[in-house]
Amino acid sequence: MNVLVTAGPTREPIDPVRFLSNRSSGKMGYELASAFAGDGHKVLLVSGPTALDVPEGVDYLPVETAAGMHEAVGHHIGRMDIAVFAAAVADYTTAAPATRKLKKSADTLRLELVKTPDILGSARQTFGFAGTLVGFAAETENLEANARDKLTRKGCDLIIANDVSQPGIGFDSNHNEVLLVYPGHARLLPRTSKHELAHQLVQAVLELHLAKR
Ligand code: CTP
């Protein structure tokens, strides 16, 4: 199977030395890429900047910005059977990044932000992807309802939802607990290491892919 995985944060430039980003470590996406490759699949990992080593046997395409990730995904998704969007893409980027380093002057500084392209939302609608589409949802409330809304809105087959209000799991942690939200039902995968969880998720995604065909 050809599998695309997006991972990590994106960096949205403010000026040549500063950026807006988030606390995503990229661990979940890298563990998933590694687990798919270990299971014999051909994996392309499109990743924003992380401190992680590229997993063995995985093709790696580094990107910086949401726009860069959107372009890379658009270029490669056509030949994929499965696409898993684990990246924490910035929802907004700077309207006009400065070409020179901003100097300190006034007491306040206003940045104008504009929406980034929704990469997962583009998969079906813009890129015409017909394979198995899996998204992530990081929520602080109404986990299942919010994830189900994303599932429908973005045309996904599965949303892997995690509750980021719970300490010790999710962002920047080695552990996670997720709710698998399918069109007709939901299933909890209880708290475990991201490494172990990645193997469970690969099995769930492959089962879904085979059932879809
Ligand atoms: N995602 C994406 N491109 C974006 C934003 C998000 O591909 N510009 C993907 C993420 O990789 C993830 C899923 O969309 O798989 C959910 O992201 P999230 O930001 O929670 O979704 P939103 O629709 O932006 O919802 P919210 O209003 O909760 O931010």
Side-chain angles (χ1 to χ4, degrees):
M1 227 68 83
N2 286 311
V3 183
L4 172 81
V5 178
T6 72
T10 62
R11 283 182 183 173
E12 309 303 324
I14 295 171
D15 70 11
V17 297
R18 302 183 179 96
F19 54 80
L20 294 171
S21 192
N22 60 66
R23 285 170 44 201
S24 167
S25 63
K27 278 178 200 148
M28 196 65 251
Y30 277 55
E31 288 289 1
L32 273 169
S34 173
F36 273 113
D39 205 39
H41 303 283
K42 191 161 170 41
V43 181
L44 175 65
L45 175 62
V46 176
S47 176
T50 75
L52 304 171
D53 292 331
V54 177
E56 216 172 297
V58 163
D59 289 331
Y60 175 64
L61 182 48
V63 296
E64 286 262 328
T65 61
M69 187 173 279
H70 186 255
E71 191 188 336
V73 167
H75 196 257
H76 292 281
I77 198 168
R79 60 184 169 82
M80 298 295 163
D81 302 298
I82 295 171
V84 182
F85 287 71
V89 183
D91 286 331
Y92 290 87
T93 188
T94 44
T99 51
R100 296 192 184 164
K101 187 180 167 208
L102 294 177
K103 288 292 190 190
K104 265 198 298 294
S105 51
D107 285 346
T108 60
L109 171 69
R110 279 177 186 274
L111 283 177
E112 192 185 355
L113 303 179
V114 293
K115 255 198 190 142
T116 56
D118 182 348
I119 308 169
L120 177 58
S122 304
R124 298 274 192 236
Q125 283 162 15
T126 310
F127 305 141
F129 180 61
T132 298
L133 185 62
V134 180
F136 273 74
E139 306 291 346
T140 52
E141 55 193 356
N142 302 330
L143 186 63
E144 182 169 348
N146 282 330
R148 197 165 289 292
D149 175 57
K150 258 164 223 178
L151 180 85
T152 318
R153 228 175 347 107
K154 303 194 186 197
C156 296
D157 298 297
L158 167 65
I159 289 281
I160 302 167
N162 60 285
D163 181 346
V164 288
S165 69
Q166 284 191 46
I169 59 167
F171 265 153
D172 226 0
S173 160
N174 285 323
H175 293 81
N176 210 351
E177 171 180 296
V178 297
L179 186 69
L180 301 186
V181 180
Y182 298 90
H185 67 290
R187 176 157 74 98
L188 184 76
L189 298 183
R191 184 194 160 110
T192 185
S193 69
K194 286 186 176 174
H195 181 76
E196 170 52 32
L197 190 63
H199 287 278
Q200 296 176 15
L201 289 174
V202 165
Q203 288 320 308
V205 172
L206 289 172
E207 271 168 31
L208 182 63
H209 184 72
L210 294 177
K212 204 173 128 91
R213 287 201 306 177

